[in-house]
């Protein structure tokens, strides 16, 4: 019997071919099974040089003999720096040669010594922004020298990051009362404004013409002033904070989506109530979560809500004063990343909680940040998340570092404000801090004051004549400043070259001219009517209107006011209507002269009353048939016993 061939599932060769050996399997004497596992004699490696040459690579799998390649990062960085230096030196040398050639034509006398390469490199790096030509921000008719000065000033402001787009101005008429709330969505397409006259107006820059009219006006909270408005991060919802205890959420077009529940006023522990029990003072949306928003109230709490479930708050934070009593918040906000919740209280403190932990203890606590008893109207985080700015009711604006909150980094005073809604904000480049002021006696108007964040020096001021500045915001995408004034107007400041869309969209559209309302009569065509009832076809509408004005039946002239004498059936002395005449003369058979003696007028009826008693005498005919009169008292000066004084 020939020996059996061994069938084994071993390793695959270098090219993936499986070779089976033809050697006979030697069985062990101890067991009847063969050998499992690898066998050196069982497999052999076949050459794959022809396949590698045909496919274009050197081998299959890992090559153990090849050394591992090591990378030295420091040497690579030094090599790249050296290449960059060589390229920069070539560019600088070309610039130096060009400057020397141009200067050689104008220089009289010996040429100055050449500059070193290092000084030229530093100067080119410092002035790389000013080399590019820039447009002037002033769009008015001026001389060439003035334009050069303005362009140089704008270039300097751009280099320092303090340029303010306030060259042009547009006014929107909200109402006649102060504009207490402003908000623009993140795309910059719509503006929403609220006032203390309970109205909220929605403005659409793209759909608005040069007439500057809002496309919708709503009154969401009946007879309660609007204190704050905020667009969500997606722009599809608006948070409305009013004087009530219930915040409202409306959609983009102003239709109500949700309303927070009101808490029980008879429960002392605020954590056990489902909502606020006192009027709201502030609120805002979460910067990352479009479903979450924050509100604060005079009941001493800040509550977190979810738009999908407003029947109960999601979280609650209690603000406490230094003696442990309740401290009412005056404003609240989220940090830029949403990890911190900050609120300013009426005791002058600033309290912050970590959103990622339980709201039991504060993470950052600043006591006596502002004067106790004043309303800190605004608190806002910087874009870098390290600093916090607060606008106090003590006419101060302070900048704080949350890493060292013991004392303010900077403080500015003499910023008088009459409103508890005056806010402060950072510029889009985070280099400026601005707020609004109210004017006092002897001043011409309020101002929007811009301060440098590093030095807290006044960089610029925008005057708002004859009005207080209540709200101010700087939209980063539009690059426009929107100011809500105390006279009911909304001021939009922008620059023609550096601002985008917003007010520039609506100014370029012509006003919509509505056709005048004209009186028109419906003409009924009756071809088979008799000639006496047939109407002629009107040739001109104007002639028909003139003919109708002359006809007393078609157009009745209104009655003229009556004078001393009656006219047209109307009696002047008794009123202009028949009913007033009847009421005046009801029950009077003959006119009685009021100038006579009233006693004689009464005694005229004495004989008729004695002959035919009707009113008083029949009532006493049985009980007192004979009248008893009071005795006559001749001493009229004597007082009755009840009024006589007691003798001592």
């Amino acid at each position: 019997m020939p020996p059996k061939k061994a069938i084994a599932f071993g390793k695959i060769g270098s090219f993936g071919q499986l070779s089976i050996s033809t050697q006979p399997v030697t069985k062990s004497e101890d067991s009847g099974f063969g050998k499992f596992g690898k066998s050196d004699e069982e497999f052999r490696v076949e050459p794959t040089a022809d396949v590698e040459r045909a496919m274009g690579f050197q081998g299959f799998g890992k090559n153990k003999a090849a050394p591992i390649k090591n990378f030295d990062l420091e040497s690579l960085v030094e090599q790249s720096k050296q290449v960059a230096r060589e390229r920069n030196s070539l560019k600088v040398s070309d610039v130096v040669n060009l400057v020397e050639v141009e200067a050689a034509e104008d220089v009289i006398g010996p040429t100055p010594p050449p500059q070193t390469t290092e000084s030229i490199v530093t100067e080119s790096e410092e002035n790389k922004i000013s080399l590019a030509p820039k447009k002037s921000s002033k769009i008015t008719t001026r001389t060439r020298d003035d334009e050069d000065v303005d362009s140089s000033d704008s270039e300097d402001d751009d280099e320092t990051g303090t340029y303010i787009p306030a060259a042009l101005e547009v006014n929107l008429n909200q109402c006649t009362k102060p504009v207490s709330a402003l908000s623009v969505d993140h795309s910059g397409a719509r503006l929403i404004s609220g006032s203390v006259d309970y109205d909220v107006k929605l403005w659409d820059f793209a759909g608005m013409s040069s007439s500057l009219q809002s496309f919708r006006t709503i009154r969401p909270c009946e007879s309660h002033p609007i204190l704050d408005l905020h667009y969500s991060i997606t722009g599809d919802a608006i948070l409305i904070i009013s004087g009530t205890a219930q915040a409202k959420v409306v959609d983009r077009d102003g239709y109500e989506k949700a309303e927070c529940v009101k808490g029980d006023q008879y429960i002392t522990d605020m954590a056990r109530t489902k909502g606020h029990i006192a009027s709201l003072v502030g609120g805002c949306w979460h910067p990352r979560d479009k479903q979450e928003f924050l509100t604060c109230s005079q009941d001493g709490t800040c509550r977190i809500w979810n738009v999908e479930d407003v029947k109960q708050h999601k979280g609650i934070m209690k603000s406490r004063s230094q003696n442990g009593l309740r401290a009412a918040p005056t404003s609240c906000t989220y940090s830029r990343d949403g990890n911190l919740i900050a609120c300013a209280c009426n005791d002058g403190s600033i309290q912050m909680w970590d959103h990622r932990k339980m709201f039991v203890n504060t993470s950052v606590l600043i006591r006596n940040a502002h004067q106790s008893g004043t309303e800190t109207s605004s608190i806002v985080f910087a874009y870098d998340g390290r600093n916090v700015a607060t606008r106090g009711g003590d006419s101060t604006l302070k900048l704080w570092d949350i890493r060292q909150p013991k004392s303010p980094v900077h403080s500015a005073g003499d910023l008088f404000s009459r409103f508890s809604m005056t806010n402060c904000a950072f510029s889009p480049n985070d280099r400026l801090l601005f707020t609004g002021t109210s004017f006092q006696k002897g001043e011409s108007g309020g101002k929007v004051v811009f301060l440098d964040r590093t030095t807290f020096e006044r960089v610029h001021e925008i005057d708002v004549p004859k009005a207080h500045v209540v709200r101010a915001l700087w939209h980063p995408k539009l690059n426009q400043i929107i100011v809500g004034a105390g006279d009911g107007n909304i001021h939009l400041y922008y620059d023609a070259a550096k601002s985008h869309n917003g007010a520039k969209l609506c100014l370029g559209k012509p006003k919509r001219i509505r056709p005048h309302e004209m009186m028109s009569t419906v003409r009924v065509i009756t071809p088979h009517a008799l000639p006496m009832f047939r109407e002629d076809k009107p040739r001109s509408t104007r002639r028909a209107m003139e003919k109708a004005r002359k006809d007393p039946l078609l157009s009745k002239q209104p009655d003229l006011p009556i004078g001393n004498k009656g006219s047209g059936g109307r009696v002047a002395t008794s009123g202009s209507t028949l009913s007033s005449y009847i009421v005046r003369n009801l029950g009077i058979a003959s006119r009685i002269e009021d100038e006579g003696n009233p006693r004689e007028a009464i005694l005229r009826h004495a004989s008729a009353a004695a002959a035919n008693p009707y009113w008083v005498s029949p009532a006493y005919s049985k009980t007192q048939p004979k009248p008893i009169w009071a005795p006559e008292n001749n001493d009229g000066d004597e007082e009755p016993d009840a009024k006589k004084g007691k003798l001592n």
Side-chain angles (χ1 to χ4, degrees), residues 302-338:
C302 298
R303 299 175 190 262
I304 301 174
W305 304 84
N306 193 333
V307 180
E308 302 298 334
D309 184 15
V310 292
K311 298 300 180 184
Q312 188 172 4
H313 60 261
K314 183 179 176 182
I316 182 173
M317 292 142 285
K318 300 179 182 179
S319 55
R320 298 293 183 185
S321 59
Q322 193 168 4
N323 54 7
L325 299 178
R326 179 185 302 175
T330 57
S331 61
C332 62
T333 186
Y334 281 100
S335 61
R336 298 292 176 175
D337 55 1

Side-chain angles (χ1 to χ4, degrees), residues 45 117 161 172 266 273 341 466 487 556 566:
V45 180
T117 307
L172 305 179
Y266 300 99
T273 60
I341 297 175
K466 298 180 181 180
D487 58 353
K556 183 179 181 300

Side-chain angles (χ1 to χ4, degrees), residues 137-148:
S137 62
K138 308 296 181 183
I139 309 177
T140 52
T141 306
R142 300 181 181 178
T143 60
R144 184 172 297 178
D145 297 336
D146 296 339
E147 291 178 357
D148 294 339

Side-chain angles (χ1 to χ4, degrees), residues 29 33 37 116 141 167 249 381 515 549:
E29 297 177 357
F33 296 95
T116 60
T141 306
V249 178
F381 280 84
R549 289 290 178 264

Side-chain angles (χ1 to χ4, degrees), residues 349-605:
S349 64
I350 300 174
Q351 305 181 21
M352 302 183 189
W353 294 269
D354 194 341
H355 195 288
R356 297 162 293 183
K357 300 178 182 179
M358 298 292 292
F359 304 127
V360 178
N361 298 322
T362 57
S363 299
V364 179
L365 179 61
I366 305 175
R367 294 291 183 188
N368 301 321
H370 289 276
Q371 182 178 351
S372 179
T374 60
E375 293 187 6
T376 304
S377 57
S378 177
I379 178 171
V380 61
F381 280 84
Y383 286 93
D384 57 7
R386 297 193 300 267
N387 296 102
V388 178
T390 55
R391 178 67 163 93
D394 53 356
S395 303
T396 59
L397 177 64
K398 296 184 180 181
L399 185 67
W400 305 86
D401 192 344
I402 59 176
R403 298 168 296 182
Q404 298 176 354
K406 293 184 179 180
S407 61
V409 180
H410 295 290
S411 178
D414 195 17
L415 300 172
F416 176 69
S417 176
R418 298 180 183 272
F419 299 90
S420 61
M421 295 85 69
T422 305
N423 69 324
C424 62
F426 288 88
S427 62
N429 58 4
D430 226 10
R431 295 185 180 181
L432 297 177
L433 184 63
F434 62 94
T435 184
T437 62
S438 303
F439 68 92
Q440 301 182 21
K441 187 176 181 180
E443 298 181 356
S444 59
K447 297 179 181 179
V448 183
V449 182
F450 294 84
L451 305 174
D452 191 352
R453 180 181 172 183
T454 56
T455 61
F456 244 52
E457 297 179 355
R458 296 199 178 191
V459 178
H460 186 72
E461 292 180 353
I462 299 177
D463 294 329
V464 182
K466 298 180 181 180
H468 307 285
V469 177
V470 184
R471 290 278 183 175
L473 59 92
W474 190 339
H475 196 273
K477 191 171 183 179
L478 300 179
N479 196 21
Q480 298 179 9
I481 300 173
I482 305 173
V483 176
D487 58 353
N489 292 327
I490 303 172
H491 303 265
L492 279 76
Y493 299 93
Y494 67 98
D495 186 85
K498 296 180 175 60
S499 299
H500 309 284
N501 298 334
K504 297 173 65 177
L505 289 178
C506 54
L507 291 179
K509 295 182 180 181
K511 296 182 180 179
R512 298 177 182 177
I513 301 176
R514 296 182 179 180
H516 296 285
E517 296 181 357
M518 300 178 64
M519 187 194 318
S520 61
T521 57
V522 180
R523 179 171 175 266
V524 180
I525 301 174
T526 55
H528 303 290
L530 297 174
M532 58 183 303
F533 300 106
R534 190 174 299 170
E535 297 180 0
D536 297 334
K537 183 179 180 181
R539 297 181 181 179
S540 174
T541 308
R542 181 179 178 183
R543 292 183 180 179
M545 291 179 62
E546 293 177 356
K547 187 177 179 181
R549 289 290 178 264
K550 296 178 181 179
D551 192 351
L553 297 177
L554 295 179
S555 55
K556 183 179 181 300
Q557 184 181 5
D559 296 331
L560 297 176
I562 60 176
N564 295 330
K565 298 181 179 180
S567 62
R570 295 181 297 167
V571 183
T573 57
S574 301
S576 59
T577 60
L578 178 62
S579 59
S580 61
Y581 176 79
I582 295 174
V583 169
R584 182 178 179 84
N585 297 280
L586 184 64
I588 300 177
S590 61
R591 187 174 299 274
I592 300 174
E593 298 295 337
D594 296 337
E595 297 178 358
N597 190 357
R599 186 173 182 277
E600 294 179 357
I602 295 174
L603 290 177
R604 266 187 289 176
H605 305 280

